[in-house]
Amino acid sequence: MLAFQEFWKRHNVSLIASEFPIYNLKRGYAGTLDLIVRLNQDCGVKTCGCKDFIGKIGCLDIKTGGGIYPSYGAQLAAYGMGQNFKQVLGTNKIGYTAVLRIGTNHKSTGGYEFEPYNSKQTKIH
């Protein structure tokens, strides 16, 4: 919890939705994404990757495992192609997707790892 709190505080996060049910009827899937947020400030940590995503709305998936694995990109891409973001955003366009891994040994961040994917990377996944 402290690592999540540190991420939230360092980025001055605005919560838009949590545990948001997402679906894509055209592709035939549904799921629940963890968070839709806006990052409002750069944390200043070089390894964070947040700099290019400040002010953009993104969907985050929280992970607690031993690393950020390639399969996470596919999961986030599916979330990013959801057809019902309009309910909370007024548009179906999401600015980015990201993995927030908490409970890490990253001392410079306070225990989290943030790996965002821009719209091009999300589409590739």
Side-chain angles (χ1 to χ4, degrees), residues 5-119:
Q5 179 183 10
E6 192 65 23
F7 171 81
W8 205 264
K9 183 176 70 173
R10 286 183 184 213
H11 293 94
N12 187 22
V13 177
S14 295
L15 177 65
I16 297 167
S18 64
E19 293 299 313
F20 185 73
I22 195 77
Y23 61 82
N24 187 311
L25 298 176
K26 181 179 177 183
R27 298 181 188 267
Y29 65 85
T32 303
L33 64 87
D34 292 332
L35 300 170
I36 301 174
V37 300
R38 177 183 293 115
L39 303 181
N40 294 306
Q41 69 187 31
D42 182 342
C43 69
V45 177
K46 292 179 185 178
T47 59
C48 180
C50 65
K51 191 174 190 170
D52 294 333
F53 301 93
I54 303 304
K56 296 180 181 177
I57 295 173
C59 61
L60 275 61
D61 197 47
I62 300 171
K63 301 293 186 186
T64 58
I68 295 178
Y69 303 107
S71 62
Y72 296 166
Q75 178 186 8
L76 286 162
Y79 290 158
M81 292 188 303
Q83 295 177 313
N84 60 314
F85 284 112
K86 197 168 194 170
Q87 294 172 358
V88 294
L89 301 178
T91 179
N92 273 330
K93 299 287 183 189
I94 198 83
Y96 66 96
T97 60
V99 174
L100 174 60
R101 187 169 76 103
I102 57 174
T104 71
N105 290 325
H106 291 84
K107 290 183 179 17
S108 63
T109 64
Y112 67 85
E113 182 179 10
F114 179 66
E115 187 166 319
Y117 307 112
N118 63 32
S119 56

